[in-house]
């Protein structure tokens, strides 16, 4: 019984020692474990002991180079080790090397592989890698904008840029609208997708703008000449001569009756009679009326002589045409007519003239 207990104790102790030794070994010392035990996927051919030894050496060399800043050399060793057997430790180091070399897209790819199966003992490293991966995904992309011909104005997302093409600009990850314009050229607009920490070049050919459309034919025809007013008929002086003649006749009549009134006054002074006084008053009244008529006709004749039918300087053609029409209408009314009009009162007698023209 004691022998059996001792044998059981030795068996349990051996299992515990084997487990401790297995956990203490590097990743590649356990590469020969069955895929189901490691949680990985089965491969067509299991690596040999020589492959595992080489992978272990590459992994150790990679760690040494990474610590001294030889990221390119460390990256090559970690990739060689990971090709033999992919491990989270190697994937993490590959991402760190790519990140240090500025290969951000490759770094994020390796980081995501590592984050897909982070060992429990590497939880802190997993949190750091997750944070760094999120930071990289927010890095802007570099875009080089060029045009043919160069010198075009650039507007990105409706925001004018300061420099003409060719130019470089950094844009946040996502979709952006790029518009290029130039004098005498048709505008061009492009939609681009910018990835984080990426670099790309866009180029646009700006076609010449079409010539302006010709002006309508009707607009190019010369304007019609202004209407020429009809020539004005010669100014008629007949009315002026008639009224002037009447003024002379009236003045002559007034003179004759004035002389007769003076003679009547002389006879009345010599032989005052009622008949002589009445004749003197009548002759004097006719004389006054005749001189009044002569004055009226004289003024009328002067106005007709001095008044012109021509329109004033600068008058519009319509005014001249209207004046000519009125004059023609007046000429169609007929000739000048003179109508004598008697003037009779209880103490005097005389005559007047009504002139129509």
């Amino acid at each position: 019984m004691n022998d059996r207990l001792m044998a059981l104790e030795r068996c349990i102790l051996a299992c515990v020692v084997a487990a401790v030794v297995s956990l203490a070994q590097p990743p590649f010392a356990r590469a020969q474990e069955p895929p189901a035990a490691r949680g990985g996927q089965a491969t067509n051919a299991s690596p040999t002991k020589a492959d595992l030894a080489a992978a272990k050496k590459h992994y150790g060399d990679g760690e040494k180079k990474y610590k001294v800043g030889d990221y390119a050399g460390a990256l090559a060793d970690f990739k060689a080790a990971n090709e033999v057997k992919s491990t989270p430790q190697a994937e993490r180091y590959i991402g760190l090397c790519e990140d240090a070399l500025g290969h951000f897209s490759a770094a994020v790819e390796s980081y995501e592989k590592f984050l897909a199966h982070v060992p429990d003992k590497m939880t802190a490293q997993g949190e750091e890698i997750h944070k760094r991966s999120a930071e990289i995904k927010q890095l802007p992309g570099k875009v080089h904008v060029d045009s043919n011909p160069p010198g075009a104005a650039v507007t990105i997302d409706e925001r004018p840029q300061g420099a003409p093409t060719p130019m470089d600009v950094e844009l946040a990850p996502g979709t952006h609208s790029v518009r290029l314009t130039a004098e005498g050229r048709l505008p061009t607009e492009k939609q681009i997708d910018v990835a984080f920490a990426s670099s790309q070049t866009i180029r646009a050919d700006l076609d010449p703008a079409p010539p302006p459309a010709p002006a309508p034919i009707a607009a190019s025809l010369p304007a019609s000449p202004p209407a020429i007013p009809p020539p004005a008929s010669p100014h008629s002086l007949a009315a002026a001569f008639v009224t002037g003649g009447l003024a002379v006749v009236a003045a002559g009549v007034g003179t004759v009756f004035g002389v007769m009134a003076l003679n009547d006054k002389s006879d009345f002074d010599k032989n005052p009679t009622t008949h002589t006084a009445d004749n003197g008053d009548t002759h004097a009244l006719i004389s006054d009326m005749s001189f009044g008529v002569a004055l009226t006709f004289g003024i009328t004749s002067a106005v007709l002589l001095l008044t012109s039918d021509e329109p004033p300087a600068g008058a519009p053609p319509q005014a001249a045409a209207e004046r000519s029409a009125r004059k023609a209408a007046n000429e169609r009314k007929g000739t000048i007519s003179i109508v004598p009009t008697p003037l009779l009162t209880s103490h005097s007698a005389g005559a007047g003239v009504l002139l129509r023209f």
Side-chain angles (χ1 to χ4, degrees), residues 30 34 36 75 122 127 130 150 180 214 231 234 272 330:
R30 302 191 302 271
L75 178 62
M122 299 184 68
E127 293 177 355
H130 180 77
L180 293 90
N330 291 334

Side-chain angles (χ1 to χ4, degrees), residues 86-303:
S86 178
T87 62
Q89 292 83 349
E91 291 169 351
R92 171 178 172 272
Y93 268 119
I94 291 173
L96 292 173
C97 292
E98 298 281 18
D99 194 351
L101 293 172
H103 307 156
F104 299 110
S105 297
V108 170
E109 182 179 355
S110 296
Y111 286 157
E112 290 178 349
K113 291 180 180 179
F114 167 70
L115 294 173
H117 49 92
V118 179
D120 293 339
K121 63 181 180 180
M122 299 184 68
T123 303
Q125 291 87 338
E127 293 177 355
E128 293 177 358
I129 294 302
H130 180 77
K131 181 179 179 181
R132 177 55 185 166
S133 178
E135 291 176 353
I136 293 177
K137 291 180 180 179
Q138 297 300 321
L139 293 177
K142 296 180 180 180
V143 180
H144 179 75
V145 185
D146 202 354
S147 65
N148 180 30
V154 181
T155 302
I156 299 178
D157 298 334
E158 300 183 356
R159 292 192 298 269
Q161 305 300 306
T165 56
M167 63 165 297
D168 296 301
V169 63
E170 291 186 350
L171 299 176
T175 302
H176 299 274
S177 175
V178 181
R179 180 179 175 85
L180 293 90
T181 56
E183 185 176 358
R185 300 279 177 168
L186 293 176
T188 299
E189 188 167 351
K190 291 179 175 291
Q191 299 290 329
I192 61 173
D193 292 325
V194 178
F196 63 88
S198 63
S199 297
Q200 63 175 304
T201 298
I202 60 172
R203 180 180 178 85
D205 294 327
L206 302 180
D207 297 328
I217 298 177
S220 61
L221 295 177
S224 57
I228 301 176
S233 58
H235 179 56
S236 177
L237 300 178
F241 291 152
V242 171
T243 54
L246 292 176
V248 172
V249 172
V253 173
T255 302
V256 171
F257 279 92
V259 172
M260 293 175 63
L262 291 175
N263 291 332
D264 291 338
K265 183 178 182 304
S266 178
D267 294 339
F268 180 80
D269 292 339
K270 294 178 180 180
N271 184 18
T273 62
T274 303
H275 177 71
T276 303
D278 292 339
N279 289 338
D281 292 339
T282 302
H283 293 159
L285 179 60
I286 294 174
S287 177
D288 293 339
M289 292 175 60
S290 298
F291 282 120
V293 172
L295 180 61
T296 301
F297 283 136
I299 294 174
T300 303
S301 177
V303 170

